[in-house]
Amino acid sequence: MDYETAQRHLQTSKLMGVDFLPVCNSPQCAEPSSQQSMLDALRVEHETSCPHCTTVTGHKQIVFGTGNSSASLMFIGEAPGAEEDEQGIPFVGAAGQKLDQIIEAIGLHREDVYIANVLKSRPPDNRTPLPSEVALCGPYLKKQIEIIKPKVIIPLGSPATKYILDTNQGITRLRGIWGTYNNIPVLPTYHPAYLLRNYTTEIRRQVWDDMQQVISKINR
Ligand code: URA
């Protein structure tokens, strides 16, 4: 609750004769972290001002991002698909289930990490985001990173890797190679949808190697 709203509630309560406030010390009553409040404010700003998401049509809803507002690890995908567009949550379809398995395999849960996309509205027919779309919506992803300040960023697939590392090189060249974004270590890996389409021992091993590297970097 923001300051003005809280003040209005207090004034109304006082007018109604309430002269004490019950204090709740349980974790459920704790104030949301300032990072969470900043993300909430950014979500509103994005929803009302993103020059891409406020003008495109054909999607059902904006998919802002989900997870721990102070996560050590942040995953970045491409754009919402059909299931994400339905639910308003990133990575909830088949690729999302694979991502969940990857997260669990490194001893974390979805709630521990933060998951977002380069583009926050589903492109028509799930096509790859256009550079012009990324240029308009992408800065909000950068603001999310600025608030969360993760220890490691994992871009999943080419569009996220290209945007975060500001490169034209694709995922096959950059997978498993550390880069940096604003001093934050970045390790590109395959998109889980690619992994599902190419479920070979070699591709699985490469993703597993990447995750091992990430975990040792976070725990260092
Ligand atoms: N693929 C993505 O890149 N992002 C999602 O949220 C879902 C599928």
Side-chain angles (χ1 to χ4, degrees), residues 31-88:
E31 275 294 305
S33 75
S34 62
Q35 277 161 301
Q36 187 56 57
S37 324
M38 285 191 278
L39 279 180
D40 292 344
L42 179 62
R43 180 193 285 260
V44 174
E45 184 195 326
H46 171 264
E47 241 171 59
T48 50
S49 321
C50 172
H52 172 69
C53 297
T54 54
T55 49
V56 284
T57 53
H59 62 294
K60 292 191 175 151
Q61 56 186 315
I62 289 171
V63 180
F64 180 72
T66 188
N68 184 340
S69 56
S70 52
S72 298
L73 182 55
M74 182 164 177
F75 288 92
I76 301 172
E78 184 173 319
E83 197 57 43
E84 290 76 22
D85 190 39
E86 281 293 332
Q87 295 191 36

Side-chain angles (χ1 to χ4, degrees), residues 63 76-81 84 89-93 95-96 115-117 156 191-193:
V63 180
I76 301 172
E78 184 173 319
E84 290 76 22
I89 304 168
F91 282 97
V92 286
I115 307 173
N117 283 307
L156 301 163
H191 193 286

Side-chain angles (χ1 to χ4, degrees), residues 24 30 167 188:
C24 171
T167 176

